[in-house]
Amino acid sequence: MSAILFSASASAEAQNLPVYLDESKPVEQRIDDALSRMTLDEKIAVIHAQSKFSSPGVKRLGFPDFWTDDGPHGVRPDVLWDEWEQAGQTNDSCVAFPALTCLAATWNPQMARLYGESLGEEALYRGKGMILGPGVNIYRTPLGGRNFEYMGEDPWLASRMVVPYIQGLQSKGVAACVKHYALNNDEEYRHQVNVVISDRALHEIYLPAFKAAVTEAGTWGIMGAYNLYKNQHNCHNNILLNQILKRDWKYDGVVVSDWGGCHDTEEAITNGLDLEFGSWTDGLTMGATNAYDNYFLALPYKRLIQDGKYSTKELDEKVRRILRLFYRTTMKREKPFGFLCSESHYDAALKIAQEGIVLLKNERNLLPLSLSKGKRILVVGENAIKMMTVGGGSSSLKVQKEILPLDGLAAQCAKYGVQCDYARGYVGDTVQSYNGVTVGRSIAETRSSEELLAEAVEKAKGADYVIVFGGLNKSNYQDCEGHDRQQYGLPYAQDQLIEALAKVNKNLVYVNISGNGVAMPWVKSVPAIVQGWFIGSEAGEALASVLVGDANPSGKLPFTWYQRLDDCGAHALNAFPGVWRDDYKIIDEEYKEGIFVGYRWTDKQKIRPLFAFGHGLSYTTFKLGKLVADKKQLTAGGQISFTVSVTNTGSRAGSETVQLYISDKQCSVERPVKELKAFQKVFLQPGESQDVTLTIGCDALSFYNEAKGQWTAEPGIFEALVGTASDNLTGKISFELQ
């Protein structure tokens, strides 16, 4: 049967459509019909790649090829069919949205929905059926090279932010592919790390965001991780894929291998992998050219069926899932229109960035900058002039524009007649290209580090304000796929620069550009500190608008910012990056800290972080009223609501995030001092008040019972703690679970 085109205006009955093409029929019935018509070769073909980013459809039956693309922050430029270099197209530039650490820092699910919808429209315009993201692996250590792609350390925050992202993306007919499932917390030897972890830590910390993506958002794709769990690679891991994902969570979507994450044909057949991508590459390097027929789920699988070792039972299940994906995406006739680089997308990128920027410190109310004619601002630092949308691994983009911090601030200064000067201060990485994308001004530098430091210090002496843009970048061993950081401190002798500037100018503002926390030994000497993240196309505009006060910062940290590396549980227990086995083929990495990740660890050890989880200041002030509960006792299956009044007591409009933590006061197992279980962001005009009600059920009181293999809420006394950061909880009320 050849592919047939049908008139959209003619009725299905008049066309006498085959069931698989008849949109009036239930999808599962259409899948059955299509599957019955496919040959063995066609079935084998659709379960593995045909190019770097595509898998074949079924041309004989009219199913088009299926195209995926990175990444979670924007639609990656197209590469050549069988090479990683750029295809050289002129219509594949995109809008770069803020990295997911910034999205998480908004603590605003509405921003996540806007993010997903905007990205979905860009992907739709580019003909992509699946975006390889978002990422929801847990921020276990600040050395994690890929933390900037994820949503922080807390499973509840990540869960609440990933659901609307997926719903927004898939509302445009583009599949999400949530990654990297699961326990992907190392980059350095990511194909060889075998994670050793308790069932409780797995279920309480590392799986909830994935579970929410499946059971609440209904994600159509899940990407397996490179690492191993219980000595089995996660792209074909029986426990993670068959038992937890498909049996317990009843996942009906497609499991996609990470590029080169498949290692064994028979495990891939039986252990839940549906669609294989990227084998014979490690994601960046070449193996055999056009090796697609040699993939583990290609000819080797076909031969096992032909030899009688396997029936087509497992194959048909994989194909069924892929056909379901086709009907949700490429075979869905009525889809919204796609847009590329539209004004609305830039507006969305700007809004998300502004809401995610975190004001960490603001002594003497140094910020916002007081600009008037005749004043002089000095901008210092390589990160003020370096493009951050290029590099970092698979999330690297080819953008239509990226407003740099120096340009954004200079434009603001021009409005007020303020002189904006620049000094380099330090040299980090002057490369501004990745995989054939070369953009931006040259930032080559021939002067010595001593000359750069001296210039910055001299210029700072006469400035009204000094704004340092420092931090990390997208180079190897910083915020980058493929490698983890090698130190907690700032690179490129930035500490020396900041300390020298602080001695000659009291109005020093430090803006940290990164997806990770960093050591700040000079923190007491710098009056104002801003966390600026990697925030994409509108970076300079967003940062400048916050610095000058056009936008009031409202971001909250999605992770604990440690004073020193050993304040992190994984490092305090020497549990990162693991121990090589005797044959040096596998690294066993035991998560010795268990459930005590981030603020759970610092609470347990009574360690004061540099900046707490949930911390973030504003240019206005807020006051929380008395916390009240609608009941004192909670029964199984019931709910309890906590209400607190929030008042903007300052002179500016602004947003505050009310955070609810639960503390179990009597339990048969050790539990964290407190855990985030609800939050809500509210926008208030000066003098305005609003009641915020946060409701929880018994699930918020539960722990994973390893003995029973299930979630358990034990009767007893609990405390609800409400405030504006994990270290600023002003309301407390006790209640009983009967």
Side-chain angles (χ1 to χ4, degrees):
M1 177 180 177
S2 60
I4 302 172
L5 295 177
F6 298 96
S7 167
S9 61
S11 69
E13 183 179 357
Q15 293 169 352
N16 194 25
L17 285 172
V19 171
Y20 78 94
L21 287 174
D22 189 346
E23 292 193 338
S24 69
K25 302 293 186 182
V27 168
E28 297 305 313
Q29 186 177 343
R30 298 173 70 191
I31 291 171
D32 289 339
D33 186 54
L35 188 62
S36 71
R37 298 170 185 267
M38 292 174 66
T39 66
L40 176 60
D41 285 338
E42 287 169 341
K43 291 177 181 179
I44 290 290
V46 300
I47 65 171
H48 66 82
Q50 65 176 356
S51 74
K52 291 298 182 190
F53 281 99
S54 74
S55 61
V58 190
K59 296 175 179 61
R60 183 177 64 87
L61 300 181
F63 290 86
D65 292 346
F66 189 78
W67 285 88
T68 70
D69 210 346
D70 293 309
H73 309 138
V75 187
R76 186 177 181 174
D78 289 320
V79 298
L80 296 172
W81 185 266
D82 195 42
E83 297 179 27
W84 286 106
E85 288 305 305
Q86 301 305 303
Q89 296 180 0
T90 58
N91 64 345
D92 59 350
S93 296
C94 70
V95 173
F97 298 94
L100 293 187
T101 41
C102 179
L103 175 62
T106 69
W107 286 59
N108 188 347
Q110 292 179 357
M111 290 297 100
R113 175 76 190 209
L114 175 64
Y115 197 123
E117 290 178 352
S118 303
L119 180 60
E121 288 174 351
E122 298 242 331
L124 195 60
Y125 184 92
R126 291 271 305 281
K128 309 303 179 184
M130 173 181 280
I131 285 293
L132 304 175
V136 291
N137 292 97
I138 292 297
Y139 182 111
R140 179 179 175 237
T141 158
L143 299 192
R146 217 162 177 180
N147 282 340
F148 71 98
E149 290 188 48
Y150 300 144
M151 296 190 184
E153 72 183 31
D154 185 77
W156 179 255
L157 176 62
S159 297
R160 294 313 91 203
M161 297 302 291
V162 75
V163 168
Y165 178 115
I166 294 168
Q167 291 170 334
L169 179 64
Q170 294 187 167
S171 73
K172 304 300 178 180
V174 178
C177 188
V178 182
K179 62 186 187 182
H180 302 86
Y181 182 73
L183 303 166
N184 190 88
N185 304 108
D186 297 79
E187 286 297 299
E188 200 61 47
Y189 298 100
R190 55 188 180 173
H191 293 273
Q192 297 160 280
V193 172
N194 177 59
V195 174
V196 180
I197 187 173
S198 69
D199 285 349
R200 188 175 169 205
L202 175 70
H203 285 272
E204 289 191 21
I205 303 297
Y206 296 95
L207 290 187
F210 288 104
K211 183 178 181 180
V214 172
T215 62
E216 296 181 54
T219 185
W220 299 336
I222 288 273
M223 181 184 289
Y226 281 134
N227 53 285
L228 300 89
Y229 168 63
K230 291 189 180 293
N231 298 304
Q232 201 166 65
H233 278 97
N234 287 359
C235 286
H236 33 78
N237 188 291
N238 182 51
I239 294 174
L240 290 178
L241 299 181
N242 284 341
Q243 296 180 29
I244 296 175
L245 180 64
K246 293 184 175 180
R247 183 194 67 190
D248 297 346
W249 299 348
K250 297 179 171 37
Y251 175 60
D252 70 355
V254 171
V255 175
V256 181
S257 74
D258 203 343
W259 270 230
C262 186
H263 297 268
D264 182 271
T265 294
E266 295 200 45
E267 284 193 4
I269 292 171
T270 59
N271 289 355
L273 179 62
D274 300 310
L275 181 55
E276 179 187 3
F277 268 100
S279 299
W280 281 276
T281 81
D282 65 2
L284 294 177
T285 58
M286 284 293 296
T289 300
N290 283 311
Y292 306 106
D293 285 341
N294 297 324
Y295 275 24
F296 293 104
L297 288 182
L299 290 179
Y301 187 7
K302 179 183 174 181
R303 284 194 288 267
L304 289 173
I305 292 175
Q306 291 173 328
D307 292 345
K309 185 163 186 180
Y310 291 91
S311 70
T312 60
K313 176 186 175 183
E314 295 87 356
L315 175 60
D316 286 347
E317 172 59 21
K318 299 177 194 300
V319 175
R320 181 178 299 279
R321 290 174 178 270
I322 289 168
L323 290 173
R324 190 177 294 124
L325 178 64
F326 288 171
Y327 283 122
R328 287 167 165 169
T329 57
T330 57
M331 293 295 286
K332 185 177 180 180
R333 302 303 183 202
E334 294 185 8
K335 288 193 284 283
F337 289 104
F339 299 94
L340 188 66
C341 299
S342 70
E343 293 87 345
S344 64
H345 295 166
Y346 284 112
D347 289 345
L350 177 61
K351 189 172 184 180
I352 294 163
Q354 288 171 331
E355 282 212 27
I357 292 169
V358 183
L359 180 59
L360 294 173
K361 183 181 179 183
N362 194 23
E363 290 181 354
R364 309 192 320 268
N365 291 321
L366 185 59
L367 291 175
L369 303 173
S370 178
L371 300 183
S372 59
K373 190 171 183 179
K375 285 192 174 181
R376 178 173 170 242
I377 287 180
L378 175 66
V379 176
V380 180
E382 181 175 286
N383 280 0
I385 61 170
K386 182 174 176 62
M387 294 189 72
M388 294 297 184
T389 57
V390 178
S394 61
S395 65
S396 181
L397 299 171
K398 174 183 173 182
V399 294
Q400 186 185 52
K401 70 171 183 177
E402 178 180 349
I403 302 174
L404 299 172
L406 176 60
D407 296 335
L409 198 52
Q412 288 283 357
C413 288
K415 295 179 184 178
Y416 298 92
V418 174
Q419 180 185 351
C420 185
D421 199 3
Y422 176 71
R424 180 68 172 261
Y426 71 93
V427 176
D429 183 352
T430 61
V431 175
Q432 294 201 106
S433 63
Y434 186 86
N435 269 154
V437 174
T438 303
V439 288
R441 71 185 78 177
S442 171
I443 59 172
E445 182 59 68
T446 59
R447 291 172 292 173
S448 68
S449 57
E450 291 78 13
E451 289 176 297
L452 295 174
L453 176 61
E455 177 198 37
V457 170
E458 188 60 32
K459 286 186 174 183
K461 293 176 181 178
D464 292 289
Y465 296 100
V466 177
I467 318 295
V468 178
F469 289 92
L472 308 179
N473 57 39
K474 297 289 192 69
S475 302
N476 286 339
Y477 303 106
Q478 296 203 47
D479 282 321
C480 184
E481 178 184 359
H483 296 284
D484 293 313
R485 295 170 64 195
Q486 297 178 321
Q487 61 183 27
Y488 190 42
L490 288 171
Y492 316 128
Q494 291 180 73
D495 289 339
Q496 180 184 357
L497 169 67
I498 295 166
E499 289 167 353
L501 293 172
K503 290 178 180 178
V504 299
N505 196 306
K506 66 178 182 179
N507 292 333
L508 178 62
V509 179
Y510 175 68
V511 182
N512 190 67
I513 306 297
S514 76
N516 269 305
V518 299
M520 293 182 173
W522 34 260
V523 65
K524 293 181 180 179
S525 302
V526 178
I529 302 174
V530 174
Q531 175 58 17
W533 312 111
F534 299 115
I535 50 180
S537 288
E538 295 285 350
E541 176 70 20
L543 289 165
S545 68
V546 168
L547 291 173
V548 305
D550 287 351
N552 193 346
S554 63
K556 300 282 187 177
L557 285 178
F559 53 73
T560 301
W561 199 300
Y562 305 103
Q563 295 194 50
R564 59 192 63 84
L565 192 59
D566 283 347
D567 289 347
C568 170
H571 297 279
L573 298 175
N574 196 29
F576 178 89
V579 179
W580 286 100
R581 294 181 184 176
D582 292 340
D583 59 5
Y584 287 93
K585 293 181 179 179
I586 297 292
I587 300 174
D588 286 313
E589 183 167 342
E590 184 179 358
Y591 286 29
K592 296 178 183 177
E593 71 279 13
I595 62 171
F596 295 98
V597 176
Y599 69 88
R600 290 166 169 82
W601 174 262
T602 55
D603 282 351
K604 173 183 167 68
Q605 300 297 326
K606 296 182 172 58
I607 295 171
R608 185 175 181 178
L610 189 61
F611 302 109
F613 172 78
H615 169 77
L617 305 177
S618 171
Y619 294 151
T620 189
T621 54
F622 298 92
K623 182 179 180 180
L624 270 59
K626 183 180 179 181
L627 180 66
V628 296
D630 67 346
K631 61 186 71 171
K632 293 183 178 180
Q633 294 178 331
L634 179 64
T635 57
Q639 292 183 323
I640 184 169
S641 295
F642 304 93
T643 301
V644 63
S645 176
V646 186
T647 303
N648 183 344
T649 56
S651 59
R652 291 173 175 260
S655 297
E656 182 59 281
T657 301
V658 180
Q659 304 167 32
L660 169 67
Y661 297 78
I662 295 296
S663 178
D664 189 347
K665 309 309 291 185
Q666 48 187 128
C667 189
S668 62
V669 298
E670 185 180 20
R671 300 198 67 177
V673 172
K674 62 179 181 290
E675 295 182 280
L676 179 72
K677 293 300 178 182
F679 60 89
Q680 184 177 330
K681 192 170 192 175
V682 291
F683 176 81
L684 299 172
Q685 296 291 338
E688 183 182 5
S689 296
Q690 181 176 328
D691 286 344
V692 173
T693 299
L694 301 171
T695 301
I696 61 169
C698 290
D699 57 331
L701 313 179
S702 302
F703 64 92
Y704 189 80
N705 189 321
E706 292 182 319
K708 297 181 178 179
Q710 64 185 32
W711 289 87
T712 300
E714 291 182 344
I717 303 299
F718 292 81
E719 271 184 354
L721 307 164
V722 169
T724 58
S726 64
D727 65 344
N728 185 33
L729 301 172
T730 56
K732 180 170 69 173
I733 195 165
S734 295
F735 65 97
E736 182 182 6
L737 174 64
Q738 294 185 323

